[in-house]
């Protein structure tokens, strides 16, 4: 097994797991949806879950892997405002929860880099 195939499988697993979580347990994700978005938070939660599942499926298939990995990187960048909202909303929570919320912010860059790595290796 190559490092790139391991990275691909793990990216598929991450995206599929998060997509399923958004659809199966949507309530925690609803709170992360910025109020400025039109419509109901639940709609955005379901849409983001469906997008994550679509990205996972695209990355899993060799013919669509590059496009799927690029879409994954874009999606991870697009949901960054939700991470900022979470950090802002949780700024008065107990330290472990605050640390988790703030810790998510710098993790977005390596996740995007990971998806871009999978896209580069897909050629």
């Amino acid at each position: 097994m190559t490092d790139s195939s391991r990275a691909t499988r793990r990216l598929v697993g991450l995206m599929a797991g998060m997509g399923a979580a958004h659809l199966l347990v949507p309530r925690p994700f609803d709170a992360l949806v910025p109020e400025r978005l039109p419509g109901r938070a639940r709609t955005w939660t379901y849409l983001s879950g469906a997008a994550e599942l679509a990205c996972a499926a695209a990355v899993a298939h060799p013919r669509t892997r590059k496009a799927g990995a690029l879409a994954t990187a874009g999606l991870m960048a697009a949901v960054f405002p939700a991470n900022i909202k979470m950090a802002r909303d949780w700024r008065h929570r107990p330290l472990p929860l605050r640390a988790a919320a703030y810790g998510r912010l710098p993790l977005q860059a390596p996740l995007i880099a990971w998806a871009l790595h999978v896209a580069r290796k897909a050629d």
Side-chain angles (χ1 to χ4, degrees), residues 58-68:
V59 172
H61 195 283
R63 288 182 68 188
T64 57
R65 182 164 296 144
K66 183 174 185 172

Side-chain angles (χ1 to χ4, degrees), residues 2-72:
T2 66
D3 284 343
S4 62
S5 65
R6 190 174 306 125
T8 299
R9 280 199 318 278
R10 288 180 178 166
L11 182 61
V12 169
L14 172 73
M15 295 306 289
M18 289 307 299
H22 277 74
L23 299 177
L24 297 172
V25 189
R27 188 172 180 204
F29 299 101
D30 291 346
L32 303 179
V33 176
E35 293 87 7
R36 292 183 177 168
L37 289 176
R40 296 179 49 225
R42 181 63 52 92
T43 301
W44 289 102
T45 297
Y46 285 154
L47 287 172
S48 63
E52 287 167 335
L53 289 173
C55 285
V59 172
H61 195 283
R63 288 182 68 188
T64 57
R65 182 164 296 144
K66 183 174 185 172
L70 291 172
T72 298

